[in-house]
PDB file of all heavy atoms in Angstrom:
ATOM      1  N   GLU F 208     -35.534  -5.243 -16.312  1.00  0.00           N
ATOM      2  CA  GLU F 208     -36.059  -5.751 -17.580  1.00  0.00           C
ATOM      3  C   GLU F 208     -36.628  -4.624 -18.431  1.00  0.00           C
ATOM      4  O   GLU F 208     -36.418  -4.578 -19.644  1.00  0.00           O
ATOM      5  CB  GLU F 208     -37.114  -6.824 -17.329  1.00  0.00           C
ATOM      6  CG  GLU F 208     -37.534  -7.536 -18.606  1.00  0.00           C
ATOM      7  CD  GLU F 208     -38.361  -8.779 -18.335  1.00  0.00           C
ATOM      8  OE1 GLU F 208     -38.814  -8.981 -17.183  1.00  0.00           O
ATOM      9  OE2 GLU F 208     -38.557  -9.561 -19.285  1.00  0.00           O
ATOM     10  N   PHE F 211     -33.709  -2.707 -19.828  1.00  0.00           N
ATOM     11  CA  PHE F 211     -33.052  -3.487 -20.885  1.00  0.00           C
ATOM     12  C   PHE F 211     -33.840  -3.430 -22.191  1.00  0.00           C
ATOM     13  O   PHE F 211     -33.251  -3.331 -23.275  1.00  0.00           O
ATOM     14  CB  PHE F 211     -32.899  -4.935 -20.414  1.00  0.00           C
ATOM     15  CG  PHE F 211     -32.214  -5.828 -21.408  1.00  0.00           C
ATOM     16  CD1 PHE F 211     -30.836  -5.796 -21.581  1.00  0.00           C
ATOM     17  CD2 PHE F 211     -32.958  -6.730 -22.174  1.00  0.00           C
ATOM     18  CE1 PHE F 211     -30.211  -6.621 -22.502  1.00  0.00           C
ATOM     19  CE2 PHE F 211     -32.341  -7.556 -23.094  1.00  0.00           C
ATOM     20  CZ  PHE F 211     -30.957  -7.500 -23.256  1.00  0.00           C
ATOM     21  N   MET F 227     -25.258  -5.705 -14.153  1.00  0.00           N
ATOM     22  CA  MET F 227     -26.672  -5.575 -13.823  1.00  0.00           C
ATOM     23  C   MET F 227     -27.066  -6.505 -12.681  1.00  0.00           C
ATOM     24  O   MET F 227     -26.684  -7.677 -12.663  1.00  0.00           O
ATOM     25  CB  MET F 227     -27.505  -5.917 -15.070  1.00  0.00           C
ATOM     26  CG  MET F 227     -28.998  -5.934 -14.853  1.00  0.00           C
ATOM     27  SD  MET F 227     -29.901  -6.559 -16.296  1.00  0.00           S
ATOM     28  CE  MET F 227     -29.519  -5.308 -17.511  1.00  0.00           C
ATOM     29  N   PHE F 229     -29.568  -8.963 -10.894  1.00  0.00           N
ATOM     30  CA  PHE F 229     -30.561  -9.904 -11.423  1.00  0.00           C
ATOM     31  C   PHE F 229     -31.079 -10.734 -10.267  1.00  0.00           C
ATOM     32  O   PHE F 229     -30.316 -11.301  -9.481  1.00  0.00           O
ATOM     33  CB  PHE F 229     -29.911 -10.807 -12.479  1.00  0.00           C
ATOM     34  CG  PHE F 229     -30.865 -11.786 -13.120  1.00  0.00           C
ATOM     35  CD1 PHE F 229     -31.512 -11.457 -14.300  1.00  0.00           C
ATOM     36  CD2 PHE F 229     -31.115 -13.033 -12.551  1.00  0.00           C
ATOM     37  CE1 PHE F 229     -32.389 -12.352 -14.909  1.00  0.00           C
ATOM     38  CE2 PHE F 229     -31.996 -13.924 -13.137  1.00  0.00           C
ATOM     39  CZ  PHE F 229     -32.626 -13.579 -14.322  1.00  0.00           C
ATOM     40  N   ASN F 230     -32.415 -10.806 -10.152  1.00  0.00           N
ATOM     41  CA  ASN F 230     -33.056 -11.595  -9.106  1.00  0.00           C
ATOM     42  C   ASN F 230     -34.247 -12.316  -9.728  1.00  0.00           C
ATOM     43  O   ASN F 230     -35.172 -11.676 -10.221  1.00  0.00           O
ATOM     44  CB  ASN F 230     -33.511 -10.675  -7.962  1.00  0.00           C
ATOM     45  CG  ASN F 230     -33.990 -11.440  -6.749  1.00  0.00           C
ATOM     46  OD1 ASN F 230     -34.726 -12.418  -6.866  1.00  0.00           O
ATOM     47  ND2 ASN F 230     -33.590 -10.992  -5.570  1.00  0.00           N
ATOM     48  N   VAL F 231     -34.223 -13.625  -9.719  1.00  0.00           N
ATOM     49  CA  VAL F 231     -35.237 -14.402 -10.439  1.00  0.00           C
ATOM     50  C   VAL F 231     -36.647 -14.145  -9.919  1.00  0.00           C
ATOM     51  O   VAL F 231     -37.628 -14.377 -10.636  1.00  0.00           O
ATOM     52  CB  VAL F 231     -34.934 -15.915 -10.370  1.00  0.00           C
ATOM     53  CG1 VAL F 231     -33.630 -16.241 -11.048  1.00  0.00           C
ATOM     54  CG2 VAL F 231     -34.927 -16.417  -8.927  1.00  0.00           C
ATOM     55  N   TYR F 234     -38.982 -10.826 -11.783  1.00  0.00           N
ATOM     56  CA  TYR F 234     -39.440 -10.686 -13.164  1.00  0.00           C
ATOM     57  C   TYR F 234     -40.537 -11.698 -13.470  1.00  0.00           C
ATOM     58  O   TYR F 234     -40.510 -12.824 -12.961  1.00  0.00           O
ATOM     59  CB  TYR F 234     -38.263 -10.871 -14.120  1.00  0.00           C
ATOM     60  CG  TYR F 234     -37.000 -10.200 -13.629  1.00  0.00           C
ATOM     61  CD1 TYR F 234     -35.898 -10.945 -13.216  1.00  0.00           C
ATOM     62  CD2 TYR F 234     -36.920  -8.814 -13.533  1.00  0.00           C
ATOM     63  CE1 TYR F 234     -34.755 -10.338 -12.742  1.00  0.00           C
ATOM     64  CE2 TYR F 234     -35.785  -8.194 -13.055  1.00  0.00           C
ATOM     65  CZ  TYR F 234     -34.693  -8.965 -12.654  1.00  0.00           C
ATOM     66  OH  TYR F 234     -33.569  -8.358 -12.170  1.00  0.00           O
ATOM     67  N   ASN F 236     -41.097 -13.473 -16.090  1.00  0.00           N
ATOM     68  CA  ASN F 236     -40.525 -14.675 -16.702  1.00  0.00           C
ATOM     69  C   ASN F 236     -39.015 -14.535 -16.664  1.00  0.00           C
ATOM     70  O   ASN F 236     -38.379 -14.100 -17.623  1.00  0.00           O
ATOM     71  CB  ASN F 236     -41.022 -14.838 -18.139  1.00  0.00           C
ATOM     72  CG  ASN F 236     -40.631 -16.179 -18.737  1.00  0.00           C
ATOM     73  OD1 ASN F 236     -39.662 -16.807 -18.309  1.00  0.00           O
ATOM     74  ND2 ASN F 236     -41.384 -16.628 -19.724  1.00  0.00           N
ATOM     75  N   SER F 237     -38.427 -14.878 -15.529  1.00  0.00           N
ATOM     76  CA  SER F 237     -36.993 -14.653 -15.322  1.00  0.00           C
ATOM     77  C   SER F 237     -36.145 -15.494 -16.270  1.00  0.00           C
ATOM     78  O   SER F 237     -35.070 -15.058 -16.697  1.00  0.00           O
ATOM     79  CB  SER F 237     -36.614 -14.960 -13.871  1.00  0.00           C
ATOM     80  OG  SER F 237     -36.923 -16.299 -13.535  1.00  0.00           O
ATOM     81  N   ALA F 238     -36.613 -16.707 -16.621  1.00  0.00           N
ATOM     82  CA  ALA F 238     -35.848 -17.560 -17.521  1.00  0.00           C
ATOM     83  C   ALA F 238     -35.730 -16.927 -18.910  1.00  0.00           C
ATOM     84  O   ALA F 238     -34.662 -16.959 -19.534  1.00  0.00           O
ATOM     85  CB  ALA F 238     -36.501 -18.937 -17.617  1.00  0.00           C
ATOM     86  N   GLU F 239     -36.829 -16.335 -19.381  1.00  0.00           N
ATOM     87  CA  GLU F 239     -36.804 -15.684 -20.686  1.00  0.00           C
ATOM     88  C   GLU F 239     -35.932 -14.424 -20.647  1.00  0.00           C
ATOM     89  O   GLU F 239     -35.185 -14.147 -21.605  1.00  0.00           O
ATOM     90  CB  GLU F 239     -38.227 -15.322 -21.115  1.00  0.00           C
ATOM     91  CG  GLU F 239     -38.332 -14.497 -22.385  1.00  0.00           C
ATOM     92  CD  GLU F 239     -37.737 -15.165 -23.615  1.00  0.00           C
ATOM     93  OE1 GLU F 239     -37.551 -16.399 -23.602  1.00  0.00           O
ATOM     94  OE2 GLU F 239     -37.450 -14.442 -24.583  1.00  0.00           O
ATOM     95  N   PHE F 240     -36.011 -13.677 -19.556  1.00  0.00           N
ATOM     96  CA  PHE F 240     -35.178 -12.485 -19.421  1.00  0.00           C
ATOM     97  C   PHE F 240     -33.698 -12.875 -19.418  1.00  0.00           C
ATOM     98  O   PHE F 240     -32.874 -12.241 -20.090  1.00  0.00           O
ATOM     99  CB  PHE F 240     -35.548 -11.729 -18.153  1.00  0.00           C
ATOM    100  CG  PHE F 240     -34.797 -10.446 -17.938  1.00  0.00           C
ATOM    101  CD1 PHE F 240     -34.380  -9.667 -19.014  1.00  0.00           C
ATOM    102  CD2 PHE F 240     -34.511 -10.002 -16.653  1.00  0.00           C
ATOM    103  CE1 PHE F 240     -33.693  -8.468 -18.812  1.00  0.00           C
ATOM    104  CE2 PHE F 240     -33.835  -8.815 -16.438  1.00  0.00           C
ATOM    105  CZ  PHE F 240     -33.415  -8.059 -17.522  1.00  0.00           C
ATOM    106  N   ALA F 241     -33.356 -13.918 -18.687  1.00  0.00           N
ATOM    107  CA  ALA F 241     -31.964 -14.380 -18.652  1.00  0.00           C
ATOM    108  C   ALA F 241     -31.505 -14.824 -20.038  1.00  0.00           C
ATOM    109  O   ALA F 241     -30.360 -14.563 -20.438  1.00  0.00           O
ATOM    110  CB  ALA F 241     -31.816 -15.525 -17.652  1.00  0.00           C
ATOM    111  N   ARG F 242     -32.387 -15.475 -20.776  1.00  0.00           N
ATOM    112  CA  ARG F 242     -32.027 -15.918 -22.138  1.00  0.00           C
ATOM    113  C   ARG F 242     -31.722 -14.717 -23.025  1.00  0.00           C
ATOM    114  O   ARG F 242     -30.768 -14.733 -23.806  1.00  0.00           O
ATOM    115  CB  ARG F 242     -33.173 -16.739 -22.736  1.00  0.00           C
ATOM    116  CG  ARG F 242     -32.847 -17.361 -24.095  1.00  0.00           C
ATOM    117  CD  ARG F 242     -34.091 -17.809 -24.817  1.00  0.00           C
ATOM    118  NE  ARG F 242     -34.970 -16.686 -25.141  1.00  0.00           N
ATOM    119  CZ  ARG F 242     -34.734 -15.834 -26.144  1.00  0.00           C
ATOM    120  NH1 ARG F 242     -33.654 -15.965 -26.906  1.00  0.00           N
ATOM    121  NH2 ARG F 242     -35.576 -14.841 -26.378  1.00  0.00           N
ATOM    122  N   ARG F 243     -32.506 -13.648 -22.888  1.00  0.00           N
ATOM    123  CA  ARG F 243     -32.282 -12.448 -23.689  1.00  0.00           C
ATOM    124  C   ARG F 243     -30.971 -11.759 -23.296  1.00  0.00           C
ATOM    125  O   ARG F 243     -30.266 -11.207 -24.154  1.00  0.00           O
ATOM    126  CB  ARG F 243     -33.454 -11.488 -23.530  1.00  0.00           C
ATOM    127  CG  ARG F 243     -34.762 -12.030 -24.112  1.00  0.00           C
ATOM    128  CD  ARG F 243     -35.936 -11.136 -23.766  1.00  0.00           C
ATOM    129  NE  ARG F 243     -35.739  -9.783 -24.276  1.00  0.00           N
ATOM    130  CZ  ARG F 243     -36.162  -8.687 -23.662  1.00  0.00           C
ATOM    131  NH1 ARG F 243     -36.798  -8.776 -22.505  1.00  0.00           N
ATOM    132  NH2 ARG F 243     -35.948  -7.505 -24.190  1.00  0.00           N
ATOM    133  N   LEU F 244     -30.654 -11.768 -22.003  1.00  0.00           N
ATOM    134  CA  LEU F 244     -29.389 -11.201 -21.566  1.00  0.00           C
ATOM    135  C   LEU F 244     -28.209 -11.971 -22.148  1.00  0.00           C
ATOM    136  O   LEU F 244     -27.239 -11.379 -22.632  1.00  0.00           O
ATOM    137  CB  LEU F 244     -29.312 -11.201 -20.035  1.00  0.00           C
ATOM    138  CG  LEU F 244     -30.284 -10.282 -19.292  1.00  0.00           C
ATOM    139  CD1 LEU F 244     -30.158 -10.493 -17.788  1.00  0.00           C
ATOM    140  CD2 LEU F 244     -30.044  -8.822 -19.639  1.00  0.00           C
ATOM    141  N   LYS F 245     -28.295 -13.280 -22.120  1.00  0.00           N
ATOM    142  CA  LYS F 245     -27.211 -14.104 -22.651  1.00  0.00           C
ATOM    143  C   LYS F 245     -27.037 -13.892 -24.143  1.00  0.00           C
ATOM    144  O   LYS F 245     -25.920 -13.924 -24.673  1.00  0.00           O
ATOM    145  CB  LYS F 245     -27.475 -15.580 -22.359  1.00  0.00           C
ATOM    146  CG  LYS F 245     -26.354 -16.496 -22.854  1.00  0.00           C
ATOM    147  CD  LYS F 245     -26.618 -17.951 -22.524  1.00  0.00           C
ATOM    148  CE  LYS F 245     -25.483 -18.822 -23.054  1.00  0.00           C
ATOM    149  NZ  LYS F 245     -25.719 -20.268 -22.770  1.00  0.00           N
ATOM    150  N   ALA F 246     -28.136 -13.638 -24.845  1.00  0.00           N
ATOM    151  CA  ALA F 246     -28.087 -13.484 -26.300  1.00  0.00           C
ATOM    152  C   ALA F 246     -27.313 -12.246 -26.741  1.00  0.00           C
ATOM    153  O   ALA F 246     -26.877 -12.164 -27.898  1.00  0.00           O
ATOM    154  CB  ALA F 246     -29.502 -13.435 -26.867  1.00  0.00           C
ATOM    155  N   VAL F 247     -27.100 -11.283 -25.845  1.00  0.00           N
ATOM    156  CA  VAL F 247     -26.401 -10.049 -26.224  1.00  0.00           C
ATOM    157  C   VAL F 247     -24.991 -10.360 -26.703  1.00  0.00           C
ATOM    158  O   VAL F 247     -24.571  -9.941 -27.788  1.00  0.00           O
ATOM    159  CB  VAL F 247     -26.358  -9.063 -25.041  1.00  0.00           C
ATOM    160  CG1 VAL F 247     -25.490  -7.860 -25.395  1.00  0.00           C
ATOM    161  CG2 VAL F 247     -27.760  -8.614 -24.672  1.00  0.00           C
ATOM    162  N   TYR F 248     -24.215 -11.105 -25.899  1.00  0.00           N
ATOM    163  CA  TYR F 248     -22.834 -11.425 -26.260  1.00  0.00           C
ATOM    164  C   TYR F 248     -22.560 -12.923 -26.302  1.00  0.00           C
ATOM    165  O   TYR F 248     -21.430 -13.335 -26.568  1.00  0.00           O
ATOM    166  CB  TYR F 248     -21.864 -10.767 -25.277  1.00  0.00           C
ATOM    167  CG  TYR F 248     -21.909  -9.258 -25.298  1.00  0.00           C
ATOM    168  CD1 TYR F 248     -22.235  -8.538 -24.152  1.00  0.00           C
ATOM    169  CD2 TYR F 248     -21.623  -8.538 -26.461  1.00  0.00           C
ATOM    170  CE1 TYR F 248     -22.276  -7.145 -24.156  1.00  0.00           C
ATOM    171  CE2 TYR F 248     -21.671  -7.150 -26.479  1.00  0.00           C
ATOM    172  CZ  TYR F 248     -21.994  -6.462 -25.325  1.00  0.00           C
ATOM    173  OH  TYR F 248     -22.033  -5.093 -25.340  1.00  0.00           O
ATOM    174  N   GLY F 249     -23.587 -13.724 -26.010  1.00  0.00           N
ATOM    175  CA  GLY F 249     -23.416 -15.172 -26.077  1.00  0.00           C
ATOM    176  C   GLY F 249     -22.942 -15.805 -24.789  1.00  0.00           C
ATOM    177  O   GLY F 249     -22.908 -17.036 -24.679  1.00  0.00           O
ATOM    178  N   THR F 250     -22.563 -14.989 -23.805  1.00  0.00           N
ATOM    179  CA  THR F 250     -22.050 -15.501 -22.534  1.00  0.00           C
ATOM    180  C   THR F 250     -22.551 -14.624 -21.390  1.00  0.00           C
ATOM    181  O   THR F 250     -22.580 -13.400 -21.511  1.00  0.00           O
ATOM    182  CB  THR F 250     -20.506 -15.507 -22.511  1.00  0.00           C
ATOM    183  OG1 THR F 250     -20.020 -16.291 -23.600  1.00  0.00           O
ATOM    184  CG2 THR F 250     -19.980 -16.094 -21.201  1.00  0.00           C
ATOM    185  N   LEU F 251     -22.937 -15.261 -20.310  1.00  0.00           N
ATOM    186  CA  LEU F 251     -23.274 -14.541 -19.079  1.00  0.00           C
ATOM    187  C   LEU F 251     -22.214 -14.841 -18.030  1.00  0.00           C
ATOM    188  O   LEU F 251     -21.768 -15.992 -17.898  1.00  0.00           O
ATOM    189  CB  LEU F 251     -24.636 -14.976 -18.550  1.00  0.00           C
ATOM    190  CG  LEU F 251     -25.893 -14.374 -19.172  1.00  0.00           C
ATOM    191  CD1 LEU F 251     -27.130 -14.955 -18.512  1.00  0.00           C
ATOM    192  CD2 LEU F 251     -25.883 -12.853 -19.040  1.00  0.00           C
ATOM    193  N   VAL F 263     -21.710 -18.250 -16.091  1.00  0.00           N
ATOM    194  CA  VAL F 263     -22.862 -18.842 -15.431  1.00  0.00           C
ATOM    195  C   VAL F 263     -23.858 -19.289 -16.498  1.00  0.00           C
ATOM    196  O   VAL F 263     -24.025 -18.626 -17.521  1.00  0.00           O
ATOM    197  CB  VAL F 263     -23.512 -17.843 -14.446  1.00  0.00           C
ATOM    198  CG1 VAL F 263     -24.035 -16.621 -15.164  1.00  0.00           C
ATOM    199  CG2 VAL F 263     -24.630 -18.496 -13.651  1.00  0.00           C
ATOM    200  N   THR F 264     -24.486 -20.434 -16.292  1.00  0.00           N
ATOM    201  CA  THR F 264     -25.448 -20.966 -17.255  1.00  0.00           C
ATOM    202  C   THR F 264     -26.857 -20.504 -16.913  1.00  0.00           C
ATOM    203  O   THR F 264     -27.138 -20.062 -15.786  1.00  0.00           O
ATOM    204  CB  THR F 264     -25.417 -22.497 -17.270  1.00  0.00           C
ATOM    205  OG1 THR F 264     -25.896 -22.989 -16.002  1.00  0.00           O
ATOM    206  CG2 THR F 264     -23.998 -23.021 -17.505  1.00  0.00           C
ATOM    207  N   LEU F 265     -27.745 -20.612 -17.878  1.00  0.00           N
ATOM    208  CA  LEU F 265     -29.148 -20.269 -17.643  1.00  0.00           C
ATOM    209  C   LEU F 265     -29.752 -21.179 -16.578  1.00  0.00           C
ATOM    210  O   LEU F 265     -30.586 -20.749 -15.779  1.00  0.00           O
ATOM    211  CB  LEU F 265     -29.935 -20.366 -18.943  1.00  0.00           C
ATOM    212  CG  LEU F 265     -29.500 -19.412 -20.063  1.00  0.00           C
ATOM    213  CD1 LEU F 265     -30.356 -19.627 -21.309  1.00  0.00           C
ATOM    214  CD2 LEU F 265     -29.589 -17.961 -19.599  1.00  0.00           C
ATOM    215  N   GLU F 266     -29.327 -22.428 -16.564  1.00  0.00           N
ATOM    216  CA  GLU F 266     -29.836 -23.372 -15.579  1.00  0.00           C
ATOM    217  C   GLU F 266     -29.415 -22.966 -14.163  1.00  0.00           C
ATOM    218  O   GLU F 266     -30.195 -23.069 -13.209  1.00  0.00           O
ATOM    219  CB  GLU F 266     -29.328 -24.786 -15.900  1.00  0.00           C
ATOM    220  CG  GLU F 266     -29.915 -25.410 -17.158  1.00  0.00           C
ATOM    221  CD  GLU F 266     -29.341 -24.808 -18.437  1.00  0.00           C
ATOM    222  OE1 GLU F 266     -28.239 -24.202 -18.361  1.00  0.00           O
ATOM    223  OE2 GLU F 266     -29.991 -24.922 -19.497  1.00  0.00           O
ATOM    224  N   GLN F 267     -28.179 -22.492 -14.026  1.00  0.00           N
ATOM    225  CA  GLN F 267     -27.706 -22.056 -12.712  1.00  0.00           C
ATOM    226  C   GLN F 267     -28.481 -20.837 -12.222  1.00  0.00           C
ATOM    227  O   GLN F 267     -28.813 -20.737 -11.037  1.00  0.00           O
ATOM    228  CB  GLN F 267     -26.213 -21.740 -12.774  1.00  0.00           C
ATOM    229  CG  GLN F 267     -25.328 -22.964 -12.866  1.00  0.00           C
ATOM    230  CD  GLN F 267     -23.878 -22.596 -13.099  1.00  0.00           C
ATOM    231  OE1 GLN F 267     -23.561 -21.759 -13.948  1.00  0.00           O
ATOM    232  NE2 GLN F 267     -22.982 -23.221 -12.346  1.00  0.00           N
ATOM    233  N   LEU F 268     -28.779 -19.928 -13.128  1.00  0.00           N
ATOM    234  CA  LEU F 268     -29.556 -18.756 -12.748  1.00  0.00           C
ATOM    235  C   LEU F 268     -30.968 -19.142 -12.321  1.00  0.00           C
ATOM    236  O   LEU F 268     -31.486 -18.648 -11.324  1.00  0.00           O
ATOM    237  CB  LEU F 268     -29.630 -17.772 -13.917  1.00  0.00           C
ATOM    238  CG  LEU F 268     -28.465 -16.806 -14.102  1.00  0.00           C
ATOM    239  CD1 LEU F 268     -28.731 -15.895 -15.294  1.00  0.00           C
ATOM    240  CD2 LEU F 268     -28.220 -15.986 -12.854  1.00  0.00           C
ATOM    241  N   SER F 269     -31.590 -20.018 -13.087  1.00  0.00           N
ATOM    242  CA  SER F 269     -32.961 -20.441 -12.776  1.00  0.00           C
ATOM    243  C   SER F 269     -33.033 -21.174 -11.445  1.00  0.00           C
ATOM    244  O   SER F 269     -34.029 -21.086 -10.731  1.00  0.00           O
ATOM    245  CB  SER F 269     -33.495 -21.339 -13.898  1.00  0.00           C
ATOM    246  OG  SER F 269     -33.562 -20.635 -15.114  1.00  0.00           O
ATOM    247  N   LEU F 279     -24.724  -9.734 -12.620  1.00  0.00           N
ATOM    248  CA  LEU F 279     -24.400 -10.321 -13.906  1.00  0.00           C
ATOM    249  C   LEU F 279     -23.553  -9.353 -14.713  1.00  0.00           C
ATOM    250  O   LEU F 279     -23.779  -8.128 -14.673  1.00  0.00           O
ATOM    251  CB  LEU F 279     -25.659 -10.676 -14.684  1.00  0.00           C
ATOM    252  CG  LEU F 279     -26.575 -11.733 -14.050  1.00  0.00           C
ATOM    253  CD1 LEU F 279     -27.742 -12.033 -15.003  1.00  0.00           C
ATOM    254  CD2 LEU F 279     -25.803 -13.007 -13.738  1.00  0.00           C
ATOM    255  N   LEU F 281     -22.315  -8.614 -18.604  1.00  0.00           N
ATOM    256  CA  LEU F 281     -22.448  -8.875 -20.032  1.00  0.00           C
ATOM    257  C   LEU F 281     -21.295  -8.159 -20.721  1.00  0.00           C
ATOM    258  O   LEU F 281     -21.154  -6.926 -20.596  1.00  0.00           O
ATOM    259  CB  LEU F 281     -23.770  -8.346 -20.568  1.00  0.00           C
ATOM    260  CG  LEU F 281     -25.073  -9.101 -20.240  1.00  0.00           C
ATOM    261  CD1 LEU F 281     -25.376  -9.076 -18.752  1.00  0.00           C
ATOM    262  CD2 LEU F 281     -26.232  -8.507 -21.017  1.00  0.00           C
TER     263      LEU F 281
END
Side-chain angles (χ1 to χ4, degrees):
E208 189 168 12
F211 181 77
M227 175 188 296
F229 182 93
N230 189 316
V231 297
Y234 319 111
N236 189 336
S237 59
E239 173 60 19
F240 183 32
R242 186 196 64 76
R243 294 172 59 214
L244 293 175
K245 182 179 179 181
V247 173
Y248 296 120
T250 303
L251 279 179
V263 62
T264 66
L265 298 179
E266 291 74 20
Q267 287 173 314
L268 276 181
S269 297
L279 297 184
L281 286 65

